[in-house]
Amino acid sequence: MQNTTGPNETGPNITSPSPCQTVITTFETSPGTCQDLLDALQEAYAGFISKQPGFIAAGLHVNDAQTRIANYSQWERREDFLAMLRSDEMRAHNRRFNELCRSFEPVLYDVAATYD
């Protein structure tokens, strides 16, 4: 797995209360397709998602068994994330992700508490 950083070199900054919208997406995959899905996600972030209005930062996480990928992203506003999600380009990316996993679901969250 390569270590890549996007526009925010330090990654997401989690604070409570949070001034931004948090989105956590879990992908159920298999060890045979995990790397392909991770590559597709990295391509989508590098080429499209990270360039969308309101994007702040994101992180991709893979479990030891390579059966799940969790994506944590932050957006300035809920509307920014929803506009990106509804775009034709993102819909094409989502069709590709769907081919590489059993299921995935983006869920919008509010940060309830943080601990150092």
Side-chain angles (χ1 to χ4, degrees):
M1 233 178 303
Q2 64 183 169
N3 179 9
T4 58
T5 54
N8 181 345
E9 292 296 321
T10 61
N13 182 19
I14 305 170
T15 59
S16 179
S18 178
C20 60
Q21 177 65 63
T22 299
V23 182
I24 300 174
T25 307
T26 2
F27 298 83
E28 290 190 36
T29 189
S30 68
T33 58
C34 183
Q35 188 59 53
D36 293 333
L37 177 56
L38 188 59
D39 291 346
L41 286 163
Q42 289 176 328
E43 178 184 315
Y45 267 100
F48 177 70
I49 300 170
S50 66
K51 296 170 175 43
Q52 296 311 294
F55 175 82
I56 297 171
L60 293 167
H61 310 264
V62 179
N63 72 334
D64 288 347
Q66 294 190 337
T67 57
R68 291 182 188 266
I69 295 176
N71 170 237
Y72 182 97
S73 65
Q74 293 177 323
W75 296 82
E76 289 179 13
R77 300 174 315 128
R78 171 185 208 97
E79 295 79 12
D80 295 328
F81 172 75
L82 294 174
M84 178 278 305
L85 198 60
R86 292 180 184 125
S87 70
D88 289 340
E89 186 164 348
M90 193 64 219
R91 290 174 63 187
H93 282 296
N94 281 337
R95 283 191 291 276
R96 176 71 177 135
F97 302 156
N98 194 51
E99 294 170 359
L100 296 170
C101 67
R102 285 187 287 286
S103 66
F104 69 97
E105 180 180 14
V107 180
L108 289 86
Y109 291 89
D110 291 320
V111 177
T114 59
Y115 301 91
D116 292 309

